[in-house]
Amino acid sequence: MKTHPLYLNGEFVLSEKTISITNPGTGEVFAAMSTVDRARVAQAVKDAHAAFAGWRALTAKARGEFLHKIANELEQRRDEIARTITMENGKPFAQSQGEMALTIDHLRWFAEEGRRGYGRIIPHQTDGKRNLVVKTPIGVVAAISPWNFPLVLAVRKIAPAFAAGCPVILKPASATPLCAAAFAEACHAAKLPKGVFQMVCGSASEIAKEFLENPLVRKITFTGSTEVGQKLIEGAAKLVKPLSLELGGLAPVLIFDDADLDKAVDGALLAKFRNTGQSCIAANRIYVQRGIYDRFVKAFVDKTKETMKVGDGFEAGVQIGALIDENGIKKAIEHVEDAVKGGAKLLCGGKRVNRPGYFFEATVLTDVARDGLCMREETFAPIAAIAPFDTEAEGIELANSSPFGLSAYAFTRDLSRAFRLMESIESGMLGINDGLPTTSNAPFGGVKMSGWGRELGAEGLDSFLETKHVSIAL
Ligand code: NAP
C-alpha cells in the first residue's frame, strides 16, 4: 500500500504519522497520506511568503503560462487521476472524467483572466490631483477544500489565486487527499517556482489554527460545511483575516405548470443525482406546481428507475456511485424514515444496497411534508424529495423559506415569470431550465448562510486582489 507524500517548498515529503484512505466503493483502505504538525505548517507559511515576491513580480502572462503548463500535465494524466478520484471519493468514473475536464478548464480560463486584473483611472474632481485604482495580489492564501469534488473545488481556489499572483497552501479533505497530491505532482512537473504551491494534510483544527493565527497568511478560502465556516469566522476575528466561504446549500427546484416536461425531468434528475446527490448545489427540495405534479412525478420516477443504476464507480453504466462513508448512509436512512413518518410516499429506492461499501438506492419520495428533515437539512444522498405547490407566489416563498441560498432551479417557459424569479429568488446561482449552472466564466457562491464571496468568473480573480486607491498630487 502506497504512502503518499506532502508537497512542501518544492519537495515531496513523507511523514511517519499518516492517515488511511478508504475506497468508499469497497470500504477498504487502499492508501495512506502523510501528515504535518502545526510547526511544519508555520514553516510552509514562511516558505510561501518567501515565494510571494518572485511570483507577484512575474507578468500575468508568465503566470498564465504556468497555469497552462499545469493544465497540460493534468491533461496527459487525465484518466489516471480520474481513476484516483473514483477510488477515493466513490463517484462514477465518467463523472470523475468530467471533474478533470472542468478542472483543466478552470486552469486555462484563469490563465487568461489573470491578464485582465484591471485597475482604473477615475476622472478627477480636485484640480491638481489624479485618482487611480490599483489591484495588487492579497498575499499568501490558505485553501481548505472538501471531499465531494476533491480536485475541482481545490483548483477553483488555486487557479485564480495563482493568476492574481498569490502563493497557495492547500489543505484537502482527509478522506480525499490523493488527487491533491497528483495536482502537486503536476505543479512540480510544470516547474512552478518552489513555495508557490504547497500541500499539507493532518488535523484540520490544528492546521486551521496556524492559518488563522499566522499574520503572514493573508486570506483563507474555504469550501465545506456551514458549521466549520462558522468556526473559521470566529477564529478570523482576532486578526480580522479575510475569508471566502463556500458553505452548505439546500437548493430548491420550482417546476411550473408551463414547463417543458422532458426538460424539467432531465434537469431535476441532473441537479439531484449528479455526484450521488453529494453536491452543495444538489436539488434538495423539488416543488412541483399542482397542474403538472402527477405527470412530473410519473416521468421522474420512471426515468430514475430506468437510468439511475447504482454500483461501483468503475462498473459500466453506473450513474450513482458510493456515498463517502457510513455517516452518509446513516443520514440517508434518517431522511427517508423521517419523510415516511411525516406522510411521504416512497415511490422507489429507500434502502442501503446490500454489498460492501456505502451504496444507497436512487430514491424518490413524494408529498413530503414541508417541515420534513429533507426539506430543512442538506441530504447529501441520492434521495429526491418532492412536494406540491399552487401559485407562483407560494413557490417563491417556499424556495426562499430557508436560511441557505446557494443554488436554485426553476423550470418554466414563461419569460416574464423567469424574470420575476431572477429578481426574487434568494440564491447566489439560479438555473432556469438548466440543471447544472456551473461554468468557469461565471461567479459561483451563495447568499445567507451559504457563504461569503464568489469563486469563478471575474469575481473569482478579484477575491485574491486588493483594491488600492492611489491619489497623486501633480
Ligand atoms: P467539512 O466537514 O466542513 O470539511 C471541509 C474541509 O474543512 C475539510 O478539508 C475538513 O478537513 C476541514 N475542516 C474540518 N474541521 C475543520 C476546522 N475545525 N477548521 C478548519 N477546517 C476544518 O465539509 P465536508 O463534509 O467535507 O463537505 C460537505 C459540505 O461542504 C456540505 O455542507 C456542502 O454543501 C459543502 N460544500 C459547499 C460547496 C460550495 O461551493 N458552497 C461546495 C462543496 C461542498 P478534514 O477532512 O480533515 O476533516
Side-chain angles (χ1 to χ4, degrees):
M1 193 170 67
K2 182 173 174 185
T3 297
H4 293 255
L6 302 161
Y7 188 57
L8 296 165
N9 205 26
E11 284 176 16
F12 294 97
V13 179
L14 287 165
S15 71
E16 263 177 34
K17 208 172 148 201
T18 59
I19 42 181
S20 305
I21 313 301
T22 302
N23 177 347
T26 61
E28 283 167 9
V29 172
F30 71 98
M33 184 74 215
S34 301
T35 62
V36 283
D37 58 15
R38 184 167 169 182
R40 194 61 191 81
V41 182
Q43 183 59 45
V45 173
K46 240 189 208 168
D47 294 332
H49 182 69
F52 179 40
W55 185 242
R56 72 180 296 180
L58 291 181
T59 61
K61 187 175 178 201
R63 287 196 296 268
E65 279 159 11
F66 276 108
L67 287 177
H68 278 305
K69 279 185 203 156
I70 298 167
N72 294 344
E73 293 296 330
L74 295 179
E75 217 149 40
Q76 276 175 26
R77 297 175 58 194
R78 210 177 175 127
D79 280 359
E80 174 214 330
I81 301 173
R83 270 193 296 281
T84 301
I85 297 177
T86 293
M87 288 282 283
E88 63 181 354
N89 168 281
K91 71 180 71 183
F93 181 59
Q95 294 184 25
S96 297
Q97 288 175 310
E99 182 163 347
M100 285 302 292
L102 192 58
T103 298
I104 291 163
D105 194 61
H106 287 352
L107 285 159
R108 297 212 188 280
W109 196 83
F110 279 109
E112 300 306 319
E113 187 64 7
R115 297 159 81 164
R116 289 181 278 277
Y118 302 122
R120 66 191 200 276
I121 298 173
I122 305 166
H124 58 284
Q125 59 176 22
T126 305
D127 276 342
K129 282 200 180 189
R130 296 293 183 271
N131 307 104
L132 278 66
V133 175
V134 175
K135 297 279 185 173
T136 54
I138 195 164
V140 173
V141 168
I144 303 176
S145 56
W147 50 262
N148 60 340
F149 292 90
L151 185 59
V152 78
L153 294 183
V155 170
R156 203 167 281 184
K157 304 172 181 311
I158 298 162
F162 281 2
C166 303
V168 177
I169 304 168
L170 171 69
K171 187 238 153 309
S174 296
T176 55
L178 302 187
C179 51
F183 183 82
E185 288 162 9
C187 291
H188 195 74
K191 301 196 167 25
L192 191 72
K194 71 173 187 176
V196 173
F197 178 72
Q198 298 179 87
M199 191 202 44
V200 296
C201 279
S203 158
S205 53
E206 203 176 321
I207 293 169
K209 216 164 183 327
E210 186 58 32
F211 288 166
L212 287 163
E213 293 178 7
N214 190 324
L216 293 179
V217 174
R218 303 304 285 272
K219 168 141 197 170
I220 299 177
T221 168
F222 170 77
T223 298
S225 61
T226 296
E227 294 71 25
V228 173
Q230 287 163 327
K231 283 187 198 166
L232 290 173
I233 292 171
E234 277 175 36
K238 197 162 166 216
L239 294 185
V240 195
K241 189 154 297 200
L243 297 175
S244 282
L245 301 171
E246 295 285 344
L247 309 179
L250 197 74
V253 183
L254 295 177
I255 292 169
F256 289 93
D257 287 347
D258 64 53
D260 174 321
L261 183 64
D262 291 339
K263 262 195 183 163
V265 168
D266 288 345
L269 281 168
L270 181 63
K272 176 67 256 180
F273 292 118
R274 188 176 68 104
N275 215 44
T276 313
Q278 301 172 116
S279 160
C280 54
I281 58 168
N284 224 84
R285 309 171 281 150
I286 304 175
Y287 300 117
V288 186
Q289 205 167 11
R290 199 81 63 177
I292 198 176
Y293 191 78
D294 290 341
R295 279 183 297 140
F296 176 84
V297 165
K298 181 173 181 333
F300 188 86
V301 171
D302 286 351
K303 209 147 187 189
T304 300
K305 288 182 181 162
E306 188 188 311
T307 61
M308 291 297 149
K309 182 177 170 196
V310 185
D312 186 273
F314 293 110
E315 286 169 26
V318 159
Q319 293 291 327
I320 307 277
L323 291 173
I324 192 69
D325 57 20
E326 193 59 39
N327 284 337
I329 294 279
K330 271 193 200 143
K331 192 171 193 186
I333 292 170
E334 190 191 5
H335 276 214
V336 171
E337 284 179 357
D338 173 83
V340 171
K341 216 158 87 195
K345 294 181 199 120
L346 178 63
L347 298 192
C348 68
K351 293 190 307 296
R352 179 182 200 147
V353 179
N354 185 16
R355 60 183 283 171
Y358 312 111
F359 295 92
F360 201 83
E361 294 171 339
T363 299
V364 182
L365 293 156
T366 56
D367 300 335
V368 178
R370 288 182 181 177
D371 62 352
L373 264 186
C374 39
M375 296 307 199
R376 289 185 285 117
E377 264 185 20
E378 254 185 331
T379 302
F380 251 55
I383 299 171
I386 305 178
F389 71 94
D390 289 298
T391 64
E392 181 183 306
E394 187 193 6
I396 292 171
E397 197 183 322
L398 282 169
N400 290 344
S401 66
S402 154
F404 299 96
L406 188 58
S407 190
Y409 306 87
F411 291 84
T412 177
R413 279 186 284 204
D414 179 337
L415 185 62
S416 307
R417 169 178 283 152
F419 269 86
R420 288 194 294 277
L421 296 170
M422 254 184 256
E423 286 157 14
S424 56
I425 297 285
E426 297 169 352
S427 65
M429 291 161 283
L430 174 62
I432 294 184
N433 300 324
D434 182 3
L436 183 52
T438 309
T439 170
S440 299
N441 56 334
F444 185 104
V447 302
K448 303 201 272 189
M449 289 178 78
S450 291
W452 293 348
R454 292 291 179 274
E455 297 189 324
L456 303 182
E459 290 82 353
L461 181 72
D462 208 48
S463 65
F464 298 102
L465 292 168
E466 292 284 20
T467 298
K468 183 181 288 165
H469 166 217
V470 180
S471 176
I472 304 177
L474 300 175

